[in-house]
Amino acid sequence: MLPKLKSLPHRSGGRGQMEKLSDSGLAASLLLLLAFLCSLTPSAADDSPLQDLCPAAPQGEAKLFMNGFLCKSPSSVMASDFKTSRLNHAGDTDNFLRSSMNVVTAADFPGLNTQGLSMARTDLAMDGMVLPHSHPRASEMMFVSHGTVVAGFVDSGNRLFQRTLRDGDVFVFPRGLLHFCVNAGYGLATTFSVLNSQNPGVMSIAGAMFAPGSDVMEKLVSRILSFKAGNATATVSSV
């Protein structure tokens, strides 16, 4: 005679546990889907390099149009590809704006190719300035080598962010925002900048709309100089 099988104990809450497991599985699936969709979003910065070295090939040798520059043959890469003297000397400030800006990109400096970087030197004579402009593909970090400079930018809410900078100070201009700088001292001022794109681009609204020396341009220059004077007064009074 077969023994009687004991009935299994009733598992209370089984349905609730199954529902919890189902909910957690759904949440995990949604997180995976969100991560996948985020991975499809285009990167705002330059693409990361796919190899250790990729100096730009001379322009005459380029046979294709592409986003960036073709790499030199690895066998022809030299240390000189990674050194430049383009920022050694002050630029000519004998002009209407009393300023000179020299931007060095991968087109001028082969070692910058695929590195997502470019650099610039700005020289400002007394009362010299760089008119409002923007870089559509890069943020800019500016270092004051010597002199006194008023630097600022305007955000999309038309708020002005402005500071007086001196030797050794650093100021950041966010990507795509209009920014400017003015010599607020009594001698030559020099700044060096690094931008996080090998081709940051420059959009100068004032330069595109108004001819140098025009009445509108002179009024714009006077207005910017008034910002400098106001900032200098505020700075002196707060010391």
Side-chain angles (χ1 to χ4, degrees), residues 180-200:
F180 64 91
C181 60
V182 183
N183 186 343
Y186 297 98
L188 181 69
T190 299
T191 71
F192 293 93
S193 298
V194 175
L195 301 96
N196 64 336
S197 170
Q198 71 177 48
N199 184 22

Side-chain angles (χ1 to χ4, degrees), residues 8-10 16 25 48 54-55 57-58 90-91 103 146 148 151 165 196 202 213 218 235:
L8 294 174
H10 176 68
S48 299
C54 185
V103 180
H146 63 265
T148 303
L165 312 175
N196 64 336
V202 179
E218 289 181 359
T235 302

Side-chain angles (χ1 to χ4, degrees), residues 24-46:
S24 62
L26 178 60
S29 299
L30 289 175
L31 286 175
L32 287 174
L33 178 61
L34 180 61
F36 174 72
L37 292 175
C38 289
S39 70
L40 298 179
T41 304
S43 174
D46 288 353

Side-chain angles (χ1 to χ4, degrees), residues 90-120:
D92 182 12
T93 59
D94 185 16
N95 52 60
F96 177 72
L97 296 176
R98 301 178 186 176
S99 66
S100 170
M101 185 169 59
N102 181 19
V103 180
V104 178
T105 68
D108 315 298
F109 185 10
L112 291 176
N113 196 38
T114 75
Q115 301 304 310
L117 294 171
S118 57
M119 50 193 180

